[in-house]
Amino acid sequence: EDPGALSLLEARHELDSRASTVHVGIRSVHLALIRGLGANSTADASKDGKEDEWSEYLESVQDAMVEQAKKLLPDSIAKNVTMPMLLTPVVLGFALLLLVATSALDWNHSKDVEEGPLRAGELRPWSLTGIVALTSYRFYTGFLSSTWMPYLLAMEGANLTEDSQALFMGGAKLIYGMSILMNPMFGLVSDQVATVSRWSGRRLFVLAGVGTCGLGIYGCLVAAQLRSLPWYMVATVLWMVGEAMADVTTETLVPELLPRSQYEVSSAIRALQFLVGGLAGYIALVVFRDAPYVWLYYAYLIVMFLCAFLTLCSIQAGDIEAISQRRRPSPRGELHPQQSSGFWSLVARAYYVPANYRGGFPRACLSIFVFSLGSAPMFFLLLMVRDIVGVEEPRAVQTHFGCISMLFFIMAAISSILGAATATKATTAGDGDAVGGERQPPHEAAPAAGDDAGSAGDRAPGLAEVEGDGDSPSRAVEDRATVASRWRLMVLSTVAFGLVCAVIPTVGLMSTETQRLVAFYFVGGALGFSFGAVYQRFQECTWSLIPPHAEIANAMGFCGMCKLAGVGIGNFLVGIILDRSSGTVGGHGHETKYSLSGYWAMCAFCTVAVLSAAALCQTIPRIILTNRKETHVA
């Protein structure tokens, strides 16, 4: 009888009839639940019959949810809506809550290594299990590297752009490159937050990075289903920013939490995790080759959250307390975190300061950049199978490319395993302090005989870990020999990789395709083995050069930026070199081939770059010793 109530009922009826709110979907699901429960309560059937009814009931609930979601979307989009897509945000939210809860707890992963009493601020050695958990995020990074750029971007480019696939891939790689340039900045911000609170500094940045990655991955999944190129690029920006935040923080954990004596073994394990992740990615592509490629988005989310969970579980409050005791005011010549403020000061500290650290760190970063310039052959294996080996059938090219890529990762993993085994044996047999010991704060190290108290405090950055306690000449000599041996192995590994690069074009000189194919498999295995050795040793050598009072995340971000910038620039230059030797068959862009002379030029450039990196590495021990002498004189 009330006109107002009547109009309200009519409006509600109109709203329901158009199915324009989620309320309609909830009502439909509710009805499906009632029907399912009613069917279960009145059914009088066998156990198998009840299971069938229960399955039908679940399917009816799913169908009701999907159908109501489809009513809210245009027909062109609704046909791609699936149950996993609807549930992913919910699962993503619960996974983030689990990671937050994990960060708030201390897990007894522990460090079962028996050690004597520790000095204040000294780090306790970790067990191998703890190191594996701490570096587990590298498995996800390897999985992503082997599947995202070489495969998923190509598939999405064909799906979203059709005629502009190369432009799409170039845009996505540009976004990736821009995120890399932010690594030092993200690292510095993480260091600043960590100065206030170690928990919120490192753990919070891992959580923020993983959460941002998760949203970006889901955004790419939805945008791909909507066939929306702009939204896909926006989601890619979110994804890559999250990757940069998480990656620079997880890279910091090893040099920050582990004692110097375990750098070598942790570097080998870290490299092994990355390479095994890459191998797992290639195997997954082969196993699921007939499935729609969207499964990769769900795989990224699962692997990322599992690896982040293991990493967060491995961080304990005791480690954080030890780090806090180790942080002291910076020695002269190094910028203190609270020394300046403002955006441009932050930029200067993020990029200029790590480029001017004493003790060899800038030279090591330059060496990594130059080496990365010459690492391009790893990214052109598919083209080399087609042009150098001479395999023409597309399916055969894809098959041999996949097999050679897996062989590459297997040999690189074997090289890392051998490095880890050697490092473990050396660490077990030797005295940790004699081999390099702990990276102690300068003013806490015991002064050498005949030195005043100030000389120990003024010890050169990056040399505390190689000087020992200074209480005997023999220990100092042994430390110098250890440093020289470490960098000698680094140089030999780099030279080996350069020589393999130089050999690649010789495969094309063989007379038959079978001979060329067999030879290229051997070259691919040798390239992987030498790369595994370089990848492992570069990381361990770089960690050893980080100054004691450096902003560690900023330093690692700067180092990572140099490495990945070298990869990008090197690939760009090699692309130009090959393009000058290209020839088109049949008038179609995908049939463009490159001459053997182009590959000779490419490999010559890469060999020169890699050998130049080896020459730069050769100078680093001399820089360390020179810096030590200058500091003692001062």
Side-chain angles (χ1 to χ4, degrees):
E1 296 179 358
D2 187 355
L6 184 60
S7 62
L8 182 61
L9 289 174
E10 290 175 352
R12 181 175 178 180
H13 177 71
E14 180 68 19
L15 188 64
D16 288 345
S17 65
R18 293 183 179 182
S20 58
T21 63
V22 182
H23 177 67
V24 178
I26 297 174
R27 288 179 58 193
S28 298
V29 174
H30 185 222
L31 291 174
L33 287 169
I34 293 174
R35 293 191 193 103
L37 292 174
N40 286 337
S41 63
T42 59
D44 185 13
S46 62
K47 181 180 180 180
D48 292 339
K50 289 182 178 180
E51 291 178 354
D52 292 340
E53 290 180 4
W54 177 249
S55 299
E56 293 177 0
Y57 151 67
L58 290 178
E59 289 178 3
S60 67
V61 173
Q62 294 180 9
D63 292 342
M65 294 178 65
V66 172
E67 286 303 317
Q68 293 304 323
K70 288 182 176 180
K71 289 181 180 180
L72 305 176
L73 299 171
D75 292 339
S76 59
I77 300 174
K79 62 183 180 181
N80 295 318
V81 174
T82 61
M83 195 65 184
M85 187 185 298
L86 294 177
L87 293 180
T88 297
V90 179
V91 177
L92 186 63
F94 277 106
L96 285 173
L97 288 176
L98 177 62
L99 289 183
V100 171
T102 300
S103 302
L105 299 176
D106 262 348
W107 298 76
N108 248 341
H109 62 278
S110 213
K111 314 177 172 93
D112 352 90
V113 182
E114 293 185 3
E115 289 287 325
L118 300 174
R119 296 189 293 268
E122 187 175 356
L123 299 177
R124 187 181 299 277
W126 286 45
S127 66
L128 288 180
T129 304
I131 297 175
V132 169
L134 187 67
T135 59
S136 59
Y137 200 81
R138 299 305 299 171
F139 180 90
Y140 162 71
T141 307
F143 184 85
L144 179 69
S145 299
S146 65
T147 55
W148 181 67
M149 193 173 292
Y151 179 75
L152 184 61
L153 281 184
M155 300 300 290
E156 289 293 14
N159 174 50
L160 295 173
T161 61
E162 297 180 356
D163 298 331
S164 304
Q165 186 175 3
L167 184 61
F168 168 81
M169 295 181 68
K173 291 177 182 179
L174 178 63
I175 293 172
Y176 175 65
M178 295 301 294
S179 70
I180 291 169
L181 294 179
M182 295 299 296
N183 276 8
M185 185 68 73
F186 285 142
L188 183 61
V189 173
S190 176
D191 286 324
Q192 298 309 293
V193 178
T195 303
V196 179
S197 170
R198 282 284 159 183
W199 187 95
S200 63
R202 303 304 183 212
R203 287 171 168 170
L204 181 61
F205 254 68
V206 173
L207 290 171
V210 169
T212 306
C213 281
L215 293 175
I217 292 171
Y218 182 70
C220 287
L221 171 62
V222 174
Q225 298 301 317
L226 300 180
R227 296 180 62 86
S228 173
L229 180 59
W231 281 112
Y232 192 93
M233 287 302 184
V234 170
T236 301
V237 171
L238 192 64
W239 185 357
M240 291 301 107
V241 168
E243 290 289 347
M245 293 176 65
D247 191 64
V248 73
T249 308
T250 53
E251 286 286 300
T252 303
L253 294 177
V254 169
E256 187 170 57
L257 298 178
L258 267 64
R260 171 65 190 87
S261 58
Q262 290 190 309
Y263 278 9
E264 189 173 0
V265 64
S266 59
S267 175
I269 293 174
R270 172 190 173 278
L272 180 61
Q273 298 244 37
F274 178 84
L275 296 169
V276 171
L279 179 61
Y282 280 114
I283 293 175
L285 290 179
V286 173
V287 172
F288 297 103
R289 61 184 178 275
D290 296 325
Y293 63 86
V294 293
W295 68 267
L296 272 171
Y297 293 108
Y298 301 107
Y300 291 150
L301 291 172
I302 294 171
V303 175
M304 178 180 67
F305 277 99
L306 286 177
C307 293
F309 175 79
L310 292 174
T311 298
L312 291 172
C313 285
S314 63
I315 304 175
Q316 289 195 359
D319 305 321
I320 298 171
E321 178 62 26
I323 298 168
S324 300
Q325 294 181 18
R326 287 158 58 87
R327 287 191 68 87
R328 293 289 185 264
S330 301
R332 65 176 184 270
E334 294 185 27
L335 198 59
H336 189 272
Q338 272 77 39
Q339 220 168 339
S340 58
S341 59
F343 175 76
W344 293 113
S345 298
L346 196 66
V347 171
R349 289 173 52 200
Y351 298 94
Y352 178 78
V353 172
N356 287 275
Y357 281 144
R358 301 165 61 191
F361 180 79
R363 182 67 60 89
C365 291
L366 176 61
S367 178
I368 291 174
F369 172 79
V370 175
F371 173 83
S372 299
L373 288 175
S375 65
M378 301 185 304
F379 303 96
F380 288 83
L381 291 177
L382 187 143
L383 294 181
M384 289 190 284
V385 169
R386 185 193 66 186
D387 300 336
I388 296 180
V389 178
V391 180
E392 296 183 356
E393 204 277 316
R395 188 174 181 84
V397 171
Q398 292 285 349
T399 300
H400 288 300
F401 164 69
C403 292
I404 292 172
S405 298
M406 286 190 286
L407 177 63
F408 176 92
F409 276 97
I410 289 172
M411 296 304 295
I414 291 174
S415 177
S416 295
I417 291 173
L418 292 177
T422 304
T424 303
K425 184 177 179 180
T427 302
T428 305
D431 177 6
D433 288 334
V435 179
E438 178 62 62
R439 197 157 54 96
Q440 295 295 332
H443 72 281
E444 289 182 4
D451 288 347
D452 59 15
S455 65
D458 292 336
R459 184 171 295 174
L463 297 177
E465 72 272 22
V466 298
E467 263 191 296
D469 292 335
D471 53 0
S472 68
S474 62
R475 172 167 294 185
V477 171
E478 183 181 9
D479 290 336
R480 287 193 292 271
T482 301
V483 172
S485 174
R486 180 190 306 124
W487 285 98
R488 188 181 305 113
L489 290 174
M490 179 72 256
V491 171
L492 291 176
S493 301
T494 307
V495 170
F497 184 85
L499 294 178
V500 176
C501 290
V503 169
I504 291 175
T506 62
V507 173
L509 302 177
M510 298 182 179
S511 57
T512 67
E513 181 180 319
T514 302
Q515 291 175 341
R516 293 194 295 269
L517 192 59
V518 172
F520 197 71
Y521 269 87
F522 276 103
V523 169
L527 194 69
F529 190 86
S530 57
F531 174 77
V534 175
Y535 184 77
Q536 171 208 337
R537 296 191 183 282
F538 250 135
Q539 193 65 71
E540 190 267 337
C541 290
T542 306
W543 287 339
S544 69
L545 293 174
I546 298 176
H549 296 289
E551 303 284 2
I552 299 181
N554 173 229
M556 295 308 302
F558 183 83
C559 181
M561 181 191 69
C562 293
K563 176 178 65 178
L564 296 174
V567 171
I569 296 174
N571 276 265
F572 177 74
L573 295 176
V574 165
I576 294 176
I577 292 172
L578 288 179
D579 188 66
R580 300 297 297 270
S581 66
S582 64
T584 303
V585 180
H588 296 288
H590 68 275
E591 294 178 349
T592 298
K593 292 188 177 181
Y594 305 101
S595 65
L596 185 60
S597 62
Y599 287 101
W600 277 107
M602 178 192 82
C603 292
F605 166 77
C606 293
T607 301
V608 171
V610 171
L611 294 182
S612 299
L616 289 171
C617 289
Q618 185 77 27
T619 65
I620 292 177
R622 186 166 62 252
I623 292 175
I624 295 175
L625 295 177
T626 301
N627 195 32
R628 178 191 297 181
K629 291 177 182 178
E630 292 176 353
T631 304
H632 283 176
V633 170

